[in-house]
Amino acid sequence: MAPVIIFMLVVAPIWLILHYRSKRQVSQGLSEEEYIQLSELSETADKMAERIKTLEAILDVETPNWRDKV
């Protein structure tokens, strides 16, 4: 009986507070700083994708069977 009482008085309130705090943060969406960082990461990913396409095109010309070796 004592563990249940300790759980209800100590652990459960902390658990509920942290749970609903995280739910509120998720529902608020991205902050301005997070949106800017996400945009920068998206641009970086697009640049990397272009570089990969270029490197694959170079490898296709210079070594046609390079994909089979991987």
Side-chain angles (χ1 to χ4, degrees), residues 7-37:
F7 178 81
M8 295 298 287
L9 293 176
V10 177
V11 177
I14 295 171
W15 187 359
L16 288 173
I17 290 168
L18 293 175
H19 171 74
Y20 285 109
R21 183 183 297 168
S22 69
K23 287 283 190 180
R24 185 175 31 146
Q25 288 175 348
V26 168
S27 68
Q28 289 177 349
L30 297 176
S31 68
E32 183 71 26
E33 182 179 320
E34 291 170 332
Y35 183 76
I36 291 170
Q37 185 179 15

Side-chain angles (χ1 to χ4, degrees), residues 64-70:
N65 296 325
W66 70 272
R67 294 178 196 264
D68 297 333
K69 295 177 184 177
V70 177

